[in-house]
Amino acid sequence: MVGVKITWLGHSAFLLEAEKKVLIDPFISGNPIAPCSPEELDPDIIAVTHGHRDHLGDTVEIGKRAECRIFSIHEVANYIKSKGVFAEGMNKGGTVNVEGISLTMTEALHSSSIDASGFSFDGGSPAGYVIQIGGHTIYHAGDTTIFGDMQLISELYEPEVALLPIGDRFTMGIKEATKAVEFIRPKIVIPMHYNTFDIISQDPLEFKQAVESKTDTKVIIKKPGESIEL
Ligand code: NI
Ligand code: MN
C-alpha cells in the first residue's frame, strides 16, 4: 500500500499508519497534552529514540499488551527486557526491515539515561530514526540539537517529512531547528517537543514563519491527536 497517516500524539510521540502501525516515543501517561490513553494504542512496532521518561514512556506497558516488536538502542533494549518484555537492540547507521517497513537509526546530540529514584541506568546514547513506510520516508530526529551531519541524513535518505523538536532548553529551539531544516531539506516539517510543559513553551507559528521565509519546506502545525495523510 502506498500512503501513510502521521498522527501527532503530543510531545515526541507519533503514530505512523500504513498496512502496519509504528509508534514512536510513546510518552502518553503523564503527558498533559496526550490525546489518548496508552490502552487505545495497538502498534505493530514501537521505536524508542532514547531512555528519558518522556520518550520511553509507556513502551513496556504497551509492548506487553500489544505483543509488538520494540526497537531501541542496545542499552535501552536491555533495560526494557529487564522489565519482562522483549525488545530488540540496534545502533546508529543500522537498519531493520519489518514487513515492508524499514527503520534506520541515526545520530542525535543529547543524553539518554534511564532515570530511577536516586540513580540512573545506562541508556546508551540517544538516537533518531529514518522510517520508510507506505512509500514515504520520515525522519524523527529524537531529542537533539542541530548537527552538521543532518546534511548526510538528507543526502543518504532524502526524507520527505521531518519531525523536529523546537522546544528549546532540552533540545534545539526555533533558531537551531530552522537551520536544521536548511540541512535536511524535507518537503514537510512537523514541529514536536514543545508546549508539553511550561519549561518548553514555544510559538510554532514563529518557527513556521522562519522556515517558510528561508526554505521551500512547508511547516505543518498540528494539535495533539491530529493527522496528516501522504
Ligand atoms: Ni531527552
Ligand atoms: Mn525529551
Side-chain angles (χ1 to χ4, degrees):
M1 186 185 95
V2 175
V4 61
K5 181 177 171 188
I6 303 171
T7 305
W8 187 40
L9 301 176
H11 208 57
S12 298
F14 282 86
L15 184 64
L16 313 181
E17 295 173 87
E19 278 173 12
K20 301 282 177 182
K21 288 178 273 187
V22 180
L23 179 61
I24 310 164
D25 283 358
F27 170 51
I28 309 296
S29 305
N31 175 356
I33 62 170
C36 62
S37 68
E39 293 74 28
E40 291 170 77
L41 297 168
D42 191 22
D44 300 287
I45 297 169
I46 300 176
V48 181
T49 62
H50 64 294
H52 293 159
R53 198 182 71 86
D54 60 317
H55 298 264
L56 187 56
D58 301 295
T59 296
V60 169
E61 294 72 16
I62 295 170
K64 272 184 184 156
R65 176 179 43 77
E67 297 184 341
C68 56
R69 294 183 67 177
I70 302 172
F71 295 95
S72 67
I73 205 147
H74 171 74
E75 290 81 358
V76 172
N78 275 347
Y79 172 79
I80 294 168
K81 283 189 274 189
S82 80
K83 295 292 163 188
V85 55
F86 188 63
E88 300 172 65
M90 56 189 298
N91 219 310
K92 296 171 190 180
T95 298
V96 294
N97 292 291
V98 184
E99 297 177 79
I101 293 168
S102 81
L103 303 175
T104 301
M105 187 170 270
T106 60
E107 177 65 296
L109 280 187
H110 187 68
S111 64
S112 178
S113 59
I114 299 163
D115 302 316
S117 51
F119 67 102
S120 296
F121 295 98
D122 177 15
S125 85
Y129 290 95
V130 171
I131 301 165
Q132 289 188 302
I133 178 170
H136 297 273
T137 304
I138 297 158
Y139 170 45
H140 187 295
D143 275 2
T144 189
T145 183
I146 186 173
F147 49 95
D149 285 351
M150 283 177 171
Q151 293 173 100
L152 280 178
I153 292 171
S154 173
E155 200 177 310
L156 281 168
Y157 310 113
E158 300 179 0
E160 179 182 353
V161 179
L163 313 173
L164 299 181
I166 64 161
D168 213 335
R169 178 73 182 237
F170 304 105
T171 67
M172 55 190 175
I174 287 173
K175 177 179 177 165
E176 296 81 9
T178 301
K179 187 70 189 173
V181 175
E182 292 181 48
F183 284 175
I184 302 161
R185 297 183 300 150
K187 285 200 187 97
I188 293 166
V189 168
I190 302 176
M192 64 177 182
H193 210 276
Y194 69 96
N195 291 356
T196 320
F197 307 105
D198 289 346
I199 200 168
I200 52 170
S201 71
Q202 206 61 266
D203 179 2
L205 278 173
E206 194 186 309
F207 175 62
K208 181 179 172 71
Q209 281 156 7
V211 167
E212 293 182 355
S213 70
K214 289 189 174 131
T215 71
D216 295 329
T217 298
K218 192 170 163 50
V219 174
I220 298 185
I221 297 166
K222 287 291 165 196
K223 293 195 178 76
E226 289 182 347
S227 305
I228 64 168
E229 288 188 47
L230 304 173

